[in-house]
């Protein structure tokens, strides 16, 4: 498959306000994101995962190293608008990213900024709202909606820019279980339609659904691989203060009790199949 | 100390076109030293209920009796209620406002009108109880701490009021796995040290199953179920209809049982589930 | 309590007045206000009153709802009325000790009160029948000719849009913070003014921090959505004058013409 994002030896440092010491938030990280893939980035708070996300669409630019999106280098200022149009972003707090007091006007904000023709904006907005199942709420005020609904509006706002990739920066961290599952199912649907997804999360069951997981710790990339490979390293994950999905947790506990459970069990479905065979 | 809620009803915007019944005839009891889990999806009335317990909202009808005082009665002094019941809201770190951690934690005790020595002592005790090093943090600005630490300071601010009943609304919301586990251990530690009644409101069924002595399930403003977690989580279909899930351990054991495995499906932790499965497979 | 004030509120509806282009409504309102100061006799006010009554009837906004908007300014109107009545010298009608009511005073007082009432109803009709967001768009469009002399029309409109969006969020935030501090025993209601002002610190500090956090997040989100100010920006709902707007403008011009004519002729 074709590489869509290439990150090469990315280093990002920022200067701390008070004592002018520079802090290295990302330390020599390299990986690629293939076109149409679903990549999850996990790591505890302060591991650099959010900083990484902001480096991908040029909200932050590398201190050294390179981020190349669809052949465009983020360090080149002339590329910024092209990159942001290709890589949209959805943030953690559903309230703080909605600009307008009417749902459909907010979804139109991105395409309006891109100078898209009004008739075309209308088409994109309607399509995006249908896609996240919020079309019936298009005339509502965002503050009357639930967290999960607001987050779906934010996603529609990203989709309406017709990007090739969407970076989700902990989109479910502030939602209740219902909101979480709504948002995750929208993310999976977008991915099936061909949008490249980069999901930053600390929920392991969400990460388990990705094609590839990248584990960050203290600015370093610690593990990279398919979910089955990554969750096999449960001890390593625990040492990084991370969890494993419930089925993996149970598999480990059963092995401790001398029960032979095959590798590669990630979901509860897998586990039930395996035990009842 | 015990708390009893009798016939509690609350209506928002009564008499206006958008009036809505938030609580309807809510009844339950909690005894000394119990940790009570409150679950229910968003909008089920959990938040309205806990705000009543603290006297922030007044019920339309019904009463809340703590020990032998009815806190909904006329003429009850709010300060006396706050002395008895502490409420920690969701994302409590957003309430911090003082220059130093110690001053912020002292805000509650000061409002209770305690003496300076007593306040200082309680502040120290509370900061240590939430697992922070008093000497290290007391003069630090709360805004320079990490997210998890800020939340601890905010919780300490309520614990310093030494409530006999402590209500924690989603204390782990938005935290990553390590901080999540740390906060739960802290809750356990507070419970063991203070021997108070703790109400834990949470969406996380694993935590509720593991921690609580009793679970109250809220749905559409009513108490839909009340009982020990082992009983409540057996009523799978009813819970699902309310949009609630089972703890992961029981999610697995219930499905194994349905798939034909002869297993005791009441497993409140993953370790219990592993034990039960091992027992069946080794037979 | 804050929610009870209808002045400046939008009353959802689908009437002819609601559907008019915001630019037409803003200009009409401004002209109407000017005309109220041109008028100087009973016939003129009668014309202005009838005009307003017709617009209210067409807008289908309940009269009760409109009059409620007058409540907060009732005191100001009464005050102007009294001042005018007693302070203006002229032919004495009634004399109460040192206070005298003159014919001129009474006349000015009545006119001023009527003028204020018509002015407030007229301008509140604009906000009652126009969504805040269209109002913002209208103001932006009307101010855009002044961009050439350096007026940041787009930026002003964007600020208004964001303010409208975040007022409910900040009110909610304030409520949350107040409750949280009350749970810690804070008391906002008793004590003298200094004590009460001091009691606001635990609310204001977290509120400011919240507002800054929102601003920071929002700036980041807007940048990620390619916001770069007014350059090459298009609008989904571009404003377009329709036949209804021309008809309304024509009727309104005739109406204003009548008022001016009345003033000149009589």
């Amino acid at each position: 498959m074709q590489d869509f994002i290439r990150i090469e030896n990315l280093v990002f440092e920022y200067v701390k306000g008070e004592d002018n010491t520079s802090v290295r938030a990302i330390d020599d990280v390299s990986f690629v994101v293939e076109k149409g893939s679903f990549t999850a980035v996990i790591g505890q708070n302060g591991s650099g995962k959010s900083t990484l996300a902001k480096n991908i669409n040029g909200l932050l630019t590398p201190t050294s190293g390179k981020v190349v999106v669809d052949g465009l280098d983020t360090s080149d200022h002339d590329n910024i608008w092209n990159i942001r149009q290709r890589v949209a972003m959805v943030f953690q707090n559903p309230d703080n990213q909605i600009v307008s007091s009417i749902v459909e006007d907010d979804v139109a904000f991105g395409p309006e900024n891109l100078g898209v023709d009004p008739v075309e904006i209308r088409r994109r907005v309607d399509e995006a709202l249908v896609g996240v199942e919020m079309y019936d709420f298009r005339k509502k005020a965002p503050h009357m909606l639930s967290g999960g609904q607001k987050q779906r509006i934010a996603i529609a706002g990203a989709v309406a820019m017709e990007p090739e990739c969407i970076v989700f920066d902990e989109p479910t961290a502030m939602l209740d279980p219902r909101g979480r599952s709504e948002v995750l199912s929208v993310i999976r649907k977008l991915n099936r339609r061909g949008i490249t997804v980069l999901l930053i999360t600390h929920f392991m069951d969400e990460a388990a659904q990705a094609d590839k997981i990248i584990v960050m710790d203290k600015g370093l990339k610690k593990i990279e691989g398919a979910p089955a490979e990554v969750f096999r390293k449960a001890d390593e994950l625990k040492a990084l203060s991370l969890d494993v999905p419930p089925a993996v947790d149970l598999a480990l506990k059963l092995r401790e009790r001398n029960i032979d459970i095959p590798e590669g069990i990630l979901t509860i479905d897998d586990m039930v199949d395996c035990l009842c065979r | 100390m015990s708390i009893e809620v009798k016939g509690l009803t609350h209506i928002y915007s009564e008499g206006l076109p958008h009036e809505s019944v938030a609580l309807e005839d809510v009844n339950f009891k909690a005894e000394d030293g119990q940790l009570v889990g409150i679950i229910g999806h968003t909008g089920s009335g959990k938040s309205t209920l806990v705000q009543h317990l603290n006297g922030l909202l007044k019920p339309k009808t019904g009463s809340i009796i703590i020990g032998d005082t009815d806190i909904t009665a006329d003429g009850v002094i709010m300060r006396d209620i706050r002395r008895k019941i502490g409420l920690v809201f969701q994302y409590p770190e957003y309430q911090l406002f003082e220059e130093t951690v110690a001053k912020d934690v002292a805000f509650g005790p000061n409002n209770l009108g305690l003496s300076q020595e007593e306040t200082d002592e309680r502040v120290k005790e509370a900061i240590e109880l939430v697992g922070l090093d008093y000497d290290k943090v007391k003069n630090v600005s709360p805004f320079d701490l990490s997210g998890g630490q800020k939340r601890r300071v905010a919780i300490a601010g309520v614990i310093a009021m030494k409530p006999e009943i402590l209500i924690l609304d989603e204390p782990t919301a938005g935290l990553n796995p390590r901080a999540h586990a740390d906060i739960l251990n802290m809750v356990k530690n507070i419970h063991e040290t203070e021997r108070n009644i703790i109400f834990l409101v949470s969406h996380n069924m694993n935590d509720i199953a593991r921690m609580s002595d009793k679970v109250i399930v809220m749905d559409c403003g009513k108490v839909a179920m009340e009982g020990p977690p082992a009983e409540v989580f057996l009523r799978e279909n009813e819970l699902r209809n309310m949009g609630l899930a089972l703890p992961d351990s029981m999610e697995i054991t219930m499905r194994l049982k349905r798939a034909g495995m002869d297993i005791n499906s009441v497993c409140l932790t993953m370790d219990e589930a592993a034990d039960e499965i091992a027992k069946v497979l080794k037979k | 309590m804050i929610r009870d004030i209808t002045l400046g509120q939008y009353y959802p509806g689908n009437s002819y007045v609601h559907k008019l282009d915001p630019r037409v409504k803003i200009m009409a309102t401004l002209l109407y206000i000017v005309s109220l100061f041109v008028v100087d006799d009973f016939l003129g006010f009668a014309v202005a009153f009838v005009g307003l009554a017709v617009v209210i009837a067409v807008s289908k906004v309940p009269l009760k709802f409109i009059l409620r908007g007058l409540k907060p300014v009732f005191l100001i109107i009464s005050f102007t009325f009294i001042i005018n009545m007693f302070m203006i010298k002229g032919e004495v009608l009634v004399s109460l000790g040192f206070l005298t009511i003159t014919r001129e005073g009474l006349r000015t007082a009545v006119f001023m009160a009527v003028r204020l009432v018509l002015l407030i109803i007229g301008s509140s009709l604009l906000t009652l029948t126009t969504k805040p967001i269209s109002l913002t768009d209208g103001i932006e469009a009307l101010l855009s000719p002044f961009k050439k002399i350096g007026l940041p029309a787009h930026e002003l409109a964007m600020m208004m849009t964001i303010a409208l969006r975040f007022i409910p969020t900040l009110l909610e935030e304030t409520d949350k913070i107040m409750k949280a501090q009350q749970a810690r025993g804070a008391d906002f209601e008793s004590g003298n003014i200094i004590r009460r002002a001091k009691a606001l610190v635990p609310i204001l500090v977290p509120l400011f921090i919240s507002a800054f956090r929102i601003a920071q997040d929002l700036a980041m989100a807007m940048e990620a959505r390619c916001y770069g100010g007014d350059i090459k920006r298009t609008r989904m709902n571009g404003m377009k004058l329709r036949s209804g707007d021309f008809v309304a403008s024509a009727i309104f011009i005739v109406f204003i013409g009548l008022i001016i004519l009345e003033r000149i002729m009589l």
Side-chain angles (χ1 to χ4, degrees):
Chain A
M1 246 200 272
Q2 196 189 336
D3 293 345
F4 184 65
I5 299 167
R6 253 183 321 118
I7 295 172
E8 291 168 12
N9 308 98
L10 172 64
V11 172
F12 183 83
E13 288 175 352
Y14 64 91
V15 178
K16 223 176 161 182
E18 290 149 32
D19 35 12
N20 280 330
T21 49
S22 75
V23 179
R24 192 167 272 216
I26 298 179
D27 193 359
D28 196 19
V29 168
S30 305
F31 65 89
V32 295
V33 174
E34 287 169 352
K35 210 178 175 96
S37 68
F38 181 172
T39 307
V41 180
I42 59 179
Q44 57 166 323
N45 291 355
S47 61
K49 56 190 197 307
S50 263
T51 313
L52 178 66
K54 287 175 189 131
N55 266 282
I56 291 175
N57 69 347
L59 286 173
L60 298 174
T61 44
T63 308
S64 74
K66 240 199 225 177
V67 177
V68 182
V69 175
D70 205 10
L72 303 165
D73 189 332
T74 61
S75 317
D76 184 349
H77 198 78
D78 295 337
N79 288 336
I80 285 293
W81 299 109
N82 284 325
I83 289 170
R84 287 193 188 148
Q85 197 225 313
R86 284 175 174 74
V87 182
M89 203 161 166
V90 174
F91 297 86
Q92 183 184 59
N93 191 320
D95 262 312
N96 302 0
Q97 54 186 316
I98 296 179
V99 183
S100 174
S101 42
I102 298 173
V103 165
E104 61 173 17
D105 286 1
D106 184 74
V107 178
F109 183 72
E112 284 177 344
N113 291 334
L114 296 172
V116 176
D117 178 68
V119 181
E120 168 70 4
I121 299 181
R122 184 81 253 172
R123 184 192 66 77
R124 287 190 187 187
V125 167
D126 289 349
E127 209 177 276
L129 282 170
V130 170
V132 299
E133 287 165 37
M134 287 299 289
Y135 185 71
D136 293 341
F137 295 86
R138 63 190 183 282
K139 300 279 183 197
K140 291 263 188 292
H143 73 270
M144 307 299 278
L145 306 176
S146 74
Q149 289 174 327
K150 277 186 260 194
Q151 205 59 307
R152 274 145 69 198
I153 298 301
I155 295 175
V159 170
M161 292 170 73
E162 303 203 328
E164 293 182 60
C165 170
I166 303 181
V167 177
F168 294 89
D169 188 2
E170 302 206 40
T172 59
M174 298 182 75
L175 306 180
D176 65 2
R178 187 177 288 185
R180 271 185 62 198
S181 72
E182 284 169 7
V183 166
L184 203 70
S185 81
V186 167
I187 293 176
R188 296 188 61 182
K189 187 163 129 191
L190 292 174
N191 182 239
R192 279 197 300 273
R193 283 199 201 150
I195 289 183
T196 310
V197 168
L198 196 80
L199 172 67
I200 314 248
T201 184
H202 59 242
F203 290 108
M204 299 305 139
D205 49 337
E206 291 177 4
Q209 302 181 23
D211 304 322
K212 179 165 86 176
I213 297 178
I214 289 164
V215 182
M216 297 281 298
D217 186 60
K218 300 192 181 90
L220 297 164
K221 184 181 83 179
K222 286 284 186 174
I223 313 175
E224 176 179 358
E229 279 170 58
V230 171
F231 289 126
R232 194 178 299 151
K233 300 174 178 162
D235 291 337
E236 216 174 312
L237 290 172
K238 291 227 159 113
L240 299 175
S241 309
L242 294 169
D243 272 345
V244 290
V248 178
D249 188 28
L250 180 62
L252 286 170
K253 292 197 152 86
L254 288 172
R255 280 183 211 121
E256 278 168 21
R257 287 163 177 79
N258 298 318
I259 290 166
D260 187 30
I261 301 288
E263 297 281 349
I265 287 193
L266 287 179
T267 65
I268 292 177
D269 285 324
D270 297 346
M271 182 54 97
V272 173
D273 283 349
C274 158
L275 288 174
C276 291
R277 221 178 320 125
Chain B
M1 187 62 52
S2 69
I3 175 165
E4 189 176 4
V5 172
K6 281 198 231 166
L8 202 67
T9 297
H10 187 83
I11 300 173
Y12 280 119
S13 316
E14 197 177 3
L16 291 172
H18 53 281
E19 81 166 34
S20 63
V21 180
L23 291 177
E24 197 178 340
D25 194 22
V26 170
N27 295 288
F28 63 83
K29 240 179 130 166
E31 302 291 341
D32 210 1
Q34 272 188 328
L35 197 150
V36 182
I38 301 182
I39 58 177
H41 71 75
T42 311
S44 61
K46 286 176 304 182
S47 298
T48 313
L49 175 63
V50 296
Q51 289 183 33
H52 275 89
L53 297 184
N54 188 260
L56 284 171
L57 291 174
K58 285 271 166 227
K60 181 173 154 51
T61 57
S63 51
I64 299 165
I65 297 154
I66 293 168
D68 42 20
T69 359
D70 181 352
I71 66 162
T72 58
D74 292 327
V76 173
I77 300 161
M78 273 304 140
R79 195 194 267 183
D80 293 342
I81 300 177
R82 306 272 142 77
R83 212 188 272 264
K84 286 197 170 97
I85 308 171
L87 171 56
V88 179
F89 278 90
Q90 251 184 64
Y91 298 100
E93 58 274 26
Y94 294 155
Q95 308 148 18
L96 300 172
F97 69 98
E98 276 287 9
E99 293 155 53
T100 70
V101 167
K103 275 189 191 172
D104 207 291
V105 176
F107 181 67
N110 280 334
N111 284 330
L112 291 181
L114 300 174
S115 70
Q116 196 55 49
E117 296 87 65
E118 168 113 47
T119 301
D120 290 347
E121 198 177 304
R122 283 190 178 194
V123 167
K124 183 165 192 268
E125 221 174 288
I127 290 176
E128 276 167 2
L129 198 51
V130 295
L132 294 172
D133 185 337
Y134 175 74
D135 292 316
K136 250 191 202 154
V137 299
K138 64 176 175 185
N139 291 324
V140 173
S141 160
F143 304 107
D144 288 341
L145 300 175
S146 77
Q149 287 173 324
K150 272 187 207 164
R151 189 165 298 183
R152 283 157 191 271
V153 171
I155 295 173
V158 173
I159 292 174
M161 297 167 79
K162 282 203 173 273
E164 290 165 68
I165 296 168
L166 178 64
I167 308 164
L168 298 157
D169 191 357
E170 289 273 350
T172 57
L175 294 179
N176 59 6
R178 157 69 78 70
H180 182 122
D182 287 351
I183 290 278
L184 285 186
N185 285 333
M186 180 206 78
V187 172
K188 228 183 228 164
N189 187 20
I190 294 169
H191 191 51
E192 277 159 14
T193 317
E194 301 283 305
R195 302 299 329 156
N196 47 5
I197 300 179
I198 292 189
F199 286 96
L200 178 67
V201 180
S202 179
H203 284 302
N204 188 316
M205 299 304 158
N206 296 339
D207 300 346
I208 293 285
R210 193 171 55 222
M211 307 263 301
S212 28
D213 301 308
K214 178 156 103 170
V215 179
I216 292 172
V217 185
M218 295 292 295
D219 187 45
C220 302
K222 291 181 192 158
V223 174
M225 298 179 205
E226 183 186 354
E231 278 171 30
V232 166
F233 286 119
L234 269 180
R235 295 160 76 175
E236 187 186 357
N237 289 335
E238 284 169 76
L239 288 171
R240 290 212 195 279
N241 287 338
M242 294 174 208
L244 298 174
L246 295 183
D248 292 324
S249 52
M250 283 185 74
E251 180 79 48
I252 295 176
T253 52
M254 294 289 251
R255 292 203 22 204
L256 287 172
K257 193 167 189 152
R258 250 180 285 139
M261 190 183 272
D262 180 24
I263 185 172
N264 171 18
S265 57
V266 183
C267 303
L268 298 177
T269 63
M270 208 48 105
D271 277 304
E272 282 177 36
D275 284 341
E276 289 296 333
I277 294 169
K279 222 194 276 170
V280 173
L281 291 181
K282 281 179 181 162
K283 238 187 249 171
Chain C
M1 196 186 62
I2 301 170
R3 282 156 224 268
D4 293 339
I5 298 173
T6 55
L7 200 68
Q9 234 181 40
Y10 174 64
Y11 184 87
N14 212 6
S15 74
Y16 183 71
V17 183
H18 281 83
K19 281 190 222 152
L20 284 178
D21 189 291
R23 287 169 297 180
V24 171
K25 284 192 268 188
I26 294 169
M27 285 310 288
T29 309
L30 287 176
L31 278 175
Y32 183 73
I33 291 171
V34 172
S35 78
L36 285 176
F37 287 91
V38 171
V39 165
D40 200 20
D41 59 13
F42 280 105
L43 187 62
F45 279 119
V47 175
F49 175 79
V50 169
L52 192 62
V54 170
V55 179
I56 291 173
V58 175
S59 76
K60 297 197 182 106
V61 179
L63 195 63
K64 234 173 99 186
F65 200 81
I66 297 173
L67 292 179
R68 241 198 292 167
L70 280 177
K71 253 195 221 159
V73 283
F74 183 73
L75 206 73
I76 300 172
I77 297 172
S78 325
F79 186 70
T80 2
F81 184 82
I82 292 167
I83 293 280
N84 276 316
M85 190 164 67
F86 290 120
M87 292 308 183
I88 292 175
K89 295 193 168 38
E91 182 189 334
V92 177
L93 288 177
V94 191
S95 188
L96 307 151
F98 66 98
L99 290 172
T100 52
I101 299 176
T102 62
R103 177 180 294 278
E104 286 74 13
L106 193 62
R107 189 185 143 94
T108 318
V110 171
F111 280 2
M112 208 46 175
V114 172
R115 198 172 271 150
L116 279 175
V117 169
L118 291 179
L119 186 148
I120 290 159
I121 294 180
S123 45
S124 64
L125 208 54
L126 172 68
T127 56
L128 282 167
T129 60
T130 318
K131 279 188 196 142
I133 206 96
S134 334
L135 209 56
T136 311
D137 289 346
I139 293 171
E140 179 178 1
L142 290 172
L143 289 181
S144 58
F146 300 105
K147 269 187 217 161
K148 289 199 186 85
I149 57 163
L151 187 82
H154 168 74
E155 285 73 12
L156 283 173
M158 186 49 85
M159 275 162 60
M160 275 172 66
T161 306
I162 290 171
L164 286 170
R165 159 70 187 85
F166 283 96
I167 284 168
T169 307
L170 283 173
L171 280 177
E172 225 172 86
E173 197 72 30
T174 313
D175 186 57
K176 256 194 259 170
I177 295 167
M178 272 181 83
K179 278 187 170 158
Q181 306 299 29
Q182 272 177 305
R184 292 212 272 165
D187 179 2
F188 307 122
E189 270 126 37
S190 57
N192 59 24
I193 201 152
I194 295 170
R195 241 189 111 135
R196 280 195 207 194
K198 252 177 126 179
L200 287 179
V201 173
I203 302 175
L204 292 180
V205 173
L207 191 62
F208 275 125
I209 293 171
S210 263
F212 280 119
R213 196 183 50 241
I214 290 174
Q216 219 169 16
D217 284 3
L218 188 68
M220 187 71 93
M222 285 171 72
E223 218 183 304
R225 290 166 80 181
C226 294
Y227 181 68
D230 201 15
I231 344 153
K232 73 170 182 170
R233 207 171 169 334
T234 48
R235 302 304 306 268
M236 174 170 70
N237 299 317
M239 281 175 292
K240 226 176 146 185
L241 293 173
R242 276 172 304 217
S243 56
D245 294 310
F246 290 113
V247 173
S249 306
I251 296 173
F252 188 76
I253 289 166
V254 171
F255 170 73
I256 291 289
L258 269 178
I259 289 182
I260 295 170
L261 208 64
E262 190 272 346
R263 164 78 190 195
I264 299 169
M265 304 295 278
L266 301 170

